[in-house]
Amino acid sequence: AQSVTQLDSHVSVSEGTPVLLRCNYSSSYSPSLFWYVQHPNKGLQLLLKYTSAATLVKGINGFEAEFKKSETSFHLTKPSAHMSDAAEYFCVVSPIGTASKLTFGTGTRLQVTL
Amino acid sequence: NAGVMQNPRHLVRRRGQEARLRCSPMKGHSHVYWYRQLPEEGLKFMVYLQKENIIDESGMPKERFSAEFPKEGPSILRIQQVVRGDSAAYFCASSAEGTRNYGYTFGSGTRLTVV
């Protein structure tokens, strides 16, 4: 069994300040972990993925996430927010090595203000 | 590479009608996954298909919903006798390999509204 908990449903930051979106996971298996972003009325875009290689994963648009097994966390960060980062962000888990579904968190809505 | 193509983008159906949602995977991808997103919620897995086979349908409602991925043509998600609770965004994703999860490519979704 696997699950994902996104600890904040809404996060608001000022443009130019750091972004932190929190995610904790639970998995019976060694997990693959992903962050997806969804802009309003759009599809999902993969930001980054962890698949048991380096624990610090760099993604697109300046985002990165660190896999911490001891804390079962996979938090998403960005040093400096941009207005275009305003969107819904989903943390996603899936077991490594099996053909299976992705399990989504409930999402965090990021608001970026001037 | 046109990516994962879903159509229609928006679909309006009256209660009791049938809805047919189409998904053409990325070129070279033979694995298709359907997800449903209810308002203000995350995506919920529905079904995983390979060509001509349903691999995992554990997320599909037992009644009124069916999915197929024929040898030729797109994958179809079919909802019979739609009800208001079926109103949601339906997303399709595809992958080249089903045995390791390196991420999926998602389509832009079909937004179904039942009136």
Side-chain angles (χ1 to χ4, degrees), chain B residues 35-94:
Chain B
Y35 291 81
R36 177 166 63 176
Q37 184 179 31
L38 294 169
E40 306 300 320
E41 294 188 15
L43 278 74
K44 303 291 187 186
F45 169 79
M46 298 183 76
V47 63
Y48 162 35
L49 310 104
Q50 295 181 24
K51 287 283 187 181
E52 301 184 279
N53 285 303
I54 296 175
I55 306 302
D56 182 351
E57 56 181 348
S58 59
M60 285 276 274
K62 298 301 180 189
E63 298 177 349
R64 301 189 297 109
F65 285 72
S66 62
E68 63 177 6
F69 188 17
K71 187 177 181 181
E72 301 291 337
S75 175
I76 305 289
L77 179 67
R78 184 179 173 201
I79 311 172
Q80 296 178 293
Q81 300 174 335
V82 296
V83 301
R84 288 235 172 96
D86 297 332
S87 295
Y90 292 82
F91 289 94
C92 168
S94 72

Side-chain angles (χ1 to χ4, degrees), chain A residues 20-51:
Chain A
L20 170 64
L21 305 183
R22 299 181 294 165
C23 171
N24 287 100
Y25 70 91
S26 173
S27 177
S28 304
Y29 307 93
S30 294
S32 290
L33 291 155
F34 312 85
W35 277 97
Y36 282 87
V37 60
Q38 184 181 30
H39 288 92
N41 297 313
K42 300 288 186 184
L44 292 107
Q45 182 182 20
L46 179 66
L47 278 178
L48 49 80
K49 61 193 177 200
Y50 165 77
T51 54

Side-chain angles (χ1 to χ4, degrees), chain A:
Chain A
Q2 56 196 21
S3 65
V4 170
T5 302
Q6 291 186 243
L7 297 159
D8 307 292
S9 58
H10 291 86
V11 169
S12 182
V13 301
S14 300
E15 191 176 34
T17 64
V19 176
L20 170 64
L21 305 183
R22 299 181 294 165
C23 171
N24 287 100
Y25 70 91
S26 173
S27 177
S28 304
Y29 307 93
S30 294
S32 290
L33 291 155
F34 312 85
W35 277 97
Y36 282 87
V37 60
Q38 184 181 30
H39 288 92
N41 297 313
K42 300 288 186 184
L44 292 107
Q45 182 182 20
L46 179 66
L47 278 178
L48 49 80
K49 61 193 177 200
Y50 165 77
T51 54
S52 77
T55 56
L56 182 61
V57 181
K58 294 187 183 299
I60 61 172
N61 300 336
F63 284 95
E64 62 181 41
E66 186 172 7
F67 173 72
K68 291 187 176 180
K69 187 175 180 180
S70 61
E71 299 176 10
T72 61
S73 69
F74 191 58
H75 301 332
L76 182 70
T77 60
K78 183 174 180 177
S80 176
H82 191 272
M83 293 297 288
S84 61
D85 294 328
E88 188 90 16
Y89 291 79
F90 293 99
C91 184
V92 181
V93 66
S94 187
I96 287 179
T98 63
S100 69
K101 56 204 177 225
L102 300 172
T103 299
F104 281 74
T106 51
T108 298
R109 182 153 297 173
L110 176 65
Q111 181 181 17
V112 182
T113 59
L114 288 171

